[in-house]
C-alpha cells in the first residue's frame, strides 16, 4: 500500500518514512499541500497522512481539494498534527472529508493501527464520501481569512525589517566614520570584494576569526580561505547568476591561517554605488561550529532515544514471552514431578520423566538468558564456574556470529570460581563476539580462552592497573582490522562507534565495561591495526565460605488440610498447580478468573487460609484481588506467582508486600513457598 506523507519539517518526514516503511508500506513525502497535489496528479496513492500548518498550502486546504477532486476523493485522508488540536479543528477536519484526526505525539503502533483501519475501511467502502454544506463553506472561508491575516502580518514585519535595513544602509553611506565604527563593531566576520571578487576590506571580527590581517589579503581572491578550491569555484559561478534581491545562505568549510578547518555560514550581497551600479560584494561569515556540534548532539540524542525505545519494546516483548513460556514450563514440571512420584527409580519411564523435568529446567534457564539480554532480569551474583558458563553459550554464539566466522574455545582446566550473575557473562560474550565478527569483513577466527593469574604486585594494563591478587581471566581475540591508537581511549565510551551509521549503537563495549566495573574487575586491550584485537577481562577469584555438611535430606513440607485458593488464568497451570497442592495434603479451590475466585472464597465456611494467585490477570491484578479478599478474610495469607523476572514483577507490583514464587517452579519450591507463606504473619 502506498502512503503520501505531507509535512513541512524534514525531520518529521524522515521519521514517518522510517516508521511506515518498517511496517511494510511504500512512502512518498511532500513538504506542503501544493507539492502533495502535484504528486497525486502523477502517482497513485492509497492513503494521505498530512500535517495542518504548512507553507504554500495547509492541510485543511489540501483535504478540501482532495475531496473536491473526483480523481482523488476516494483516497482516505488522515490528519496528523501537533497544532490546531482543539475539538473544533477535529470536527472541521472530519466534516471536510478526513477519515481520522490524530494528534502528535502518538505511539507508533497506534498510528500504524489507525492507518491500517482506515485502509481496511476504504477497501470495504465504509468511508462515507465528504459533503460540505453552506455553513461548512463559511467556516472554511473564515479559516482562510485567518491564514491570510497571519500572512499579511508577517509581510508587515518583513517590510519593517527591510525598512530598518535600508535606513541603516543610508546612515552608512552618509558617514564614512559611522560606517567604519559600525563595520568594525559587528561581531560577524565581514569581507568586502570588488566586482572581480578581489578582497578590498574586512572588519576586525574577520581578522579575529581567520587570523589574516587586511594587508595580507588585499587584492587577492579569497580562495585561500576555503578548505576546497572546487567549492570556491562553484560559489563564484553562483554569484555571477545572483539576482539583485537574492540573499542566500551558503554552507562552507573555511580554513584559518593556522590551518584549522571549521564549518561556517556565509551570506553574500551585491554592493551598489549611488547610481545603482554594482561595485562588488560583501560577505558575512559566521562560525557555526557550536551549532553543528549541537545539531550532531541532537541527532545522537535522537538516535539514543530511538535505541532506548527499541530496547524497551524488546524488553516488554521478552517479558511477555517469558511470562507465557514460564507458565507452560510450570505445567510441564508439575505433571512430570507428580508422575515421578508414582514411578520407581528402576522403571524405564522414570528415567524419561527425569529427562523431561531436566529439559524444562534448562528451558527456564534459557528464558532467564532472554530476559538478561533484554535487561529485564534482576542481577543476582552467584558463584559460577566460568568454563561451564562459556561452554553453555557456545552454541548460541556460533549462531550469532554466522557461518563465515569460526569460533575456537580454549578453556584452562581447574579454573577458580568467580562471583557474577550468569546472564552478565552471556552479555559480555555476545557483545565481544559480535564486535570481533564485525571487525573481520571477510570472516576469520574468534578465539575465546580462560586462564588464571596470581599477582604479588600490581600490573599495568591498557586501562588502569591490575592490583595484586588472584584473578580469573576471560580473553576474546580476533583477526580483524584492529583499533587505531588514536581512538583506544574512547572505545568504552557510551555510543562511541567506528561503524557506519545504522551498523552499530556504540553500546556493546560500554556495556562490557560497566559489567566488569560492577563486579570489581579490570579490562586490558591489545590491538594492532590490521592484525587483530585481544580483550582480556580480569575477574577476582571468589573464595566461598565453607559449607556445613547435611546428613539427612530435608523433607518436603506438607499441608494439614489448610484451604488454598489458587487463581491462574492459564488453565493448564491452574490444573497442575492444584493437583500438586492436593498431593501435598492441602484443600484446594481453583479459579481461572478473579470474579470466580471471589465467589468461591465467600462460599467457604471456614474461610481461605492462603491465596495463591498470578500477579497479572484479566479483570483484576493479583494484588487487587488479595486486597479485596482480605476485606472478607483479614487473616488470609498471600503468595504471588509471576512468570516475569523479579525486577519486572517488582516494577509492576510496587505495593505488594507478600511473598512471591517465580515461574517455573518445582514441587519442592512450591511446597516450601506455600509453607513459608502460611507461617508468615499477615
Amino acid at each position: 500500500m502506498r502512503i503520501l506523507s505531507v509535512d513541512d519539517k524534514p525531520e518529521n518526514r524522515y521519521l514517518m518514512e522510517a516508521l511506515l516503511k518498517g511496517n511494510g508500506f511504500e512512502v512518498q513525502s511532500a513538504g506542503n499541500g501544493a507539492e502533495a497535489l502535484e504528486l497525486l496528479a502523477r502517482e497513485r496513492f492509497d492513503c494521505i497522512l498530512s500535517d495542518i500548518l504548512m507553507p504554500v498550502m495547509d492541510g485543511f486546504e489540501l483535504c478540501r481539494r482532495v475531496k473536491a477532486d473526483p480523481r482523488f476523493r476516494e483516497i482516505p485522508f488522515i490528519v496528523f498534527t501537533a497544532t490546531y488540536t482543539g475539538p473544533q479543528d477535529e470536527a472541521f477536519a472530519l466534516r471536510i472529508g478526513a477519515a481520522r484526526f490524530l494528534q502528535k505525539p502518538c505511539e507508533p503502533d497506534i498510528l500504524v493501527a489507525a492507518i491500517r483501519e482506515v485502509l481496511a475501511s476504504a477497501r470495504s467502502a465504509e468511508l462515507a464520501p465528504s459533503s460540505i454544506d453552506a455553513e461548512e463553506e463559511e467556516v472554511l472561508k473564515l479559516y482562510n481569512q485567518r491564514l491570510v491575516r497571519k500572512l499579511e502580518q508577517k509581510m508587515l514585519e518583513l517590510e519593517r525589517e527591510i525598512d530598518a535595513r535600508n535606513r541603516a544602509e543610508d546612515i552608512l553611506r552618509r558617514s564614512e566614520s559611522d560606517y567604519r565604527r559600525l563595520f568594525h563593531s559587528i561581531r560577524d566576520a565581514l569581507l568586502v570584494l570588488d566586482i572581480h571578487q578581489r578582497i578590498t576590506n574586512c572588519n576586525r571580527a574577520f581578522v579575529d576569526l581567520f587570523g589574516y590581517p587586511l594587508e595580507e589579503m588585499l587584492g587577492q581572491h579569497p580562495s585561500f580561505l576555503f578548505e576546497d578550491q572546487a567549492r570556491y569555484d562553484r560559489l563564484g559561478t553562483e554569484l555571477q547568476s545572483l539576482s539583485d534581491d537574492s540573499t542566500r545562505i551558503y554552507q562552507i568549510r573555511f580554513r584559518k591561517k593556522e590551518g584549522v578547518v571549521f564549518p561556517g555560514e556565509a551570506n553574500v550581497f551585491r554592493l551598489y554605488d549611488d547610481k545603482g551600479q554594482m561595485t562588488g560584494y560583501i560577505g558575512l561569515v559566521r562560525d557555526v561550529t557550536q551549532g553543528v556540534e549541537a545539531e550532531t548532539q541532537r541527532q545522537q540524542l535522537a538516535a539514543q532515544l530511538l535505541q532506548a525505545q527499541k530496547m524497551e519494546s524488546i524488553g516488554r516483548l521478552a517479558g511477555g514471552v517469558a511470562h507465557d513460556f514460564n507458565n507452560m514450563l510450570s505445567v510441564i514440571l508439575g505433571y512430570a514431578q507428580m508422575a515421578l512420584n508414582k514411578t520407581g527409580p528402576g522403571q524405564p519411564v522414570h528415567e524419561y520423566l527425569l529427562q523431561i523435568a531436566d529439559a524444562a529446567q534448562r528451558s527456564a534457564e534459557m528464558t532467564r538468558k532472554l530476559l538478561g539480554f533484554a535487561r529485564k532480569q534482576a542481577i543476582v551474583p552467584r558463584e559460577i564456574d566460568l568454563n561451564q558458563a562459556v561452554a553453555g553459550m557456545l552454541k548460541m554464539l556460533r549462531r550469532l556470529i554466522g557461518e563465515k566466522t569460526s569460533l575456537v574455545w580454549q578453556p584452562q582446566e581447574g579454573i577458580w570460581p568467580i562471583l557474577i550473575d550468569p546472564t552478565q557473562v552471556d552479555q559480555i560474550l555476545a557483545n565481544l563476539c559480535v564486535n570481533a565478527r564485525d571487525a573481520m569483513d571477510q570472516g576469520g577466527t574468534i578465539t575465546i580462552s580462560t586462564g588464571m593469574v596470581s599477582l604479588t604486585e600490581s600490573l599495568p594494563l591498557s586501562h588502569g592497573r591490575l592490583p595484586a591478587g588472584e584473578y580469573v581471566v576471560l580473553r576474546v581475540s580476533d583477526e580483524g582490522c584492529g583499533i587505531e591508537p588514536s581512538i583506544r581511549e574512547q572505545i568504552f565510551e557510551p555510543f562511541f562507534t567506528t561503524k557506519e551509521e545504522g551498523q552499530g549503537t556504540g553500546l556493546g563495549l560500554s556495556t562490557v565495561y560497566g559489567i566488569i566495573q560492577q563486579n570489581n574487575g579490570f579490562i586490558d586491550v591489545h590491538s594492532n591495526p590490521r592484525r587483530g584485537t585481544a580483550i582480556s577481562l580480569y575477574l577476582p577469584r571468589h573464595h566461598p565460605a565453607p559449607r556445613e555438611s547435611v546428613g539427612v535430606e530435608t523433607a518436603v513440607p506438607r499441608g494439614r488440610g489448610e484451604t488454598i485458593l489458587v487463581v491462574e488464568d492459564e488453565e493448564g497451570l491452574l490444573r497442575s498447580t492444584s493437583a500438586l497442592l492436593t498431593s501435598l495434603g492441602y484443600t484446594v479451590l481453583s479459579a481461572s478468573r478473579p470474579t470466580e475466585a471471589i465467589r468461591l472464597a465467600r462460599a467457604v465456611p471456614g474461610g481461605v487460609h492462603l491465596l495463591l494467585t498470578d500477579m497479572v490477570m484479566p479483570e483484576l491484578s493479583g494484588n487487587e484481588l488479595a486486597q479485596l479478599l482480605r476485606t472478607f478474610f483479614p487473616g488470609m495469607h498471600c503468595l504471588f506467582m509471576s512468570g516475569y523476572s523479579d525486577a519486572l514483577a517488582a516494577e509492576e507490583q510496587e505495593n505488594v508486600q507478600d511473598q512471591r514464587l517465580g515461574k517455573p517452579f518445582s514441587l519442592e519450591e512450591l511446597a516450601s513457598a506455600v509453607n513459608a507463606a502460611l507461617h508468615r504473619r499477615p
Side-chain angles (χ1 to χ4, degrees), residues 191-200 217-223 232-233 235-237 239-240 268-271 278-282:
L191 184 67
V192 182
L193 308 176
D194 63 18
I195 197 168
H196 301 293
Q197 301 180 19
R198 292 189 293 259
I199 299 173
T200 61
M217 300 187 295
L218 278 175
Q220 297 187 52
H221 292 283
S223 60
Y232 170 75
D233 294 337
L235 179 61
T237 302
L239 290 178
Q240 295 298 325
V268 181
F269 307 90
R270 288 186 175 186
L271 296 177
M278 179 179 168
T279 59
Y281 305 89
I282 182 169

Side-chain angles (χ1 to χ4, degrees), residues 295-305 495:
E295 176 61 20
T296 301
Q297 185 178 18
R298 186 195 67 80
Q299 293 176 356
Q300 290 176 345
L301 290 174
Q304 293 169 20
L305 175 61
F495 305 107

